[in-house]
Amino acid sequence: MYKRQMPIMQRLKSYVGWISSLWLLLSVAPAQAIEGGRLARANDPLAAATVTIGSVVAGGESVSLNRCSGVLISPEYVLTAAHCVRGNALAAAVRFFSGSRPTGRPVRVAQVARYALQEDDVPREYAASLAELSLDTAILRLEAPVRGRRPIMVERRPDRVPSRLRLAGAGLSGGRGAGILRTTLLEPIAITRSGLTIARAIGSRVCVGDSGGPVVAEGRGVPRVWGVASAVMTREPPCGDTLVIAPANPAAW
């Protein structure tokens, strides 16, 4: 495992064009997220802490807009998947939800710290597919602490795999903007010694833009972040019902 700090190149407010693009990215009409599942409810602690993430990434002479999901784990920090902020991030912002719908203005990201996980003890039937995946997490430091939102604590000792997990995601369809927030139950089917989990979505499919979405265990009625959506294993991309979950690892942060 390695840790690499990746500060934003300059203060985000200097990127007027990029911030305008992010505002458009996070503000246009909502699109479908997780296929199936349930619409997020306003009184759901998971929904209240989940965000949609937009980032502007430079690659050579081109610039791309990436869209993912994430979760507030403290008033100032958001957890997501590292591939959501890969490359040279020029700017990034997050937006929260009220129930299933995006609400409020985007909150700018001040700094990105990325963490990559080494593949370890991968089940044989998944080895070929997992060799091509980036199994990682990232922490986004927001420009200012968020008020009025309760963060979700990270599961610090995942020594027992729950029989059920739950995913929240704000995926996209048709190339449109911030998605409708949905949740779905997951059934774990394999776990490695490093904590990497493979789970099957129950009655739903995970789609584009759900990457980085929080996967929580809800024992004793209090959700705890187990990991984040890293990749989908499917023969019919981009959606599928077999999810690879990168473990939340506070020891690395």
Side-chain angles (χ1 to χ4, degrees), residues 50-66:
T50 299
V51 299
T52 182
I53 301 169
S55 63
V56 180
V57 178
E61 298 181 355
S62 64
V63 173
S64 62
L65 300 178
N66 291 337

Side-chain angles (χ1 to χ4, degrees), residues 227-238:
V228 297
S230 178
V232 173
M233 299 171 62
T234 178
R235 295 182 179 178
E236 300 177 356

Side-chain angles (χ1 to χ4, degrees), residues 16-220:
V16 177
W18 302 143
I19 295 303
S20 298
S21 297
L22 286 174
W23 174 252
L24 177 63
L25 180 70
L26 297 176
S27 300
V28 294
Q32 183 176 354
I34 295 169
E35 292 185 353
R38 294 185 177 183
L39 288 173
R41 299 169 299 175
N43 62 348
D44 183 353
L46 176 59
T50 299
V51 299
T52 182
I53 301 169
S55 63
V56 180
V57 178
E61 298 181 355
S62 64
V63 173
S64 62
L65 300 178
N66 291 337
R67 295 165 291 192
C68 282
S69 302
V71 60
L72 191 70
I73 58 172
S74 82
E76 197 175 6
Y77 292 98
V78 165
L79 175 67
T80 187
H83 70 261
C84 291
V85 287
R86 68 185 183 275
N88 184 14
L90 300 176
V94 308
R95 195 176 183 200
F96 287 90
F97 290 84
S98 176
S100 63
R101 301 283 176 167
T103 187
R105 296 181 63 86
V107 180
R108 297 173 182 176
V109 173
Q111 188 178 46
V112 178
R114 297 190 299 164
Y115 309 88
L117 300 174
Q118 300 296 325
E119 296 176 27
D120 178 45
D121 191 29
V122 175
R124 180 177 302 175
E125 61 269 34
Y126 299 113
S129 297
L130 291 181
E132 302 175 359
L133 301 178
S134 175
L135 309 172
D136 48 19
T137 58
I139 298 291
L140 312 183
R141 180 171 65 83
L142 303 179
E143 189 174 59
V146 173
R147 303 183 185 278
R149 297 276 173 172
R150 179 174 294 181
I152 296 184
M153 300 293 293
V154 172
E155 179 65 65
R156 296 185 179 275
R157 292 190 59 190
D159 49 5
R160 177 176 297 180
V161 183
S163 59
R164 289 288 187 274
L165 296 166
R166 191 158 66 105
L167 166 70
L172 312 169
S173 66
R176 296 162 60 193
I180 293 174
L181 184 61
R182 292 178 179 267
T183 66
T184 187
L185 291 176
L186 304 173
E187 179 184 8
I189 55 178
I191 186 169
T192 71
R193 287 177 294 183
S194 67
L196 178 70
T197 305
I198 300 170
R200 182 175 293 110
I202 300 174
S204 63
R205 282 157 46 94
V206 182
C207 243
V208 177
D210 294 322
S211 286
V215 175
V216 300
E218 296 183 297
R220 300 179 298 278

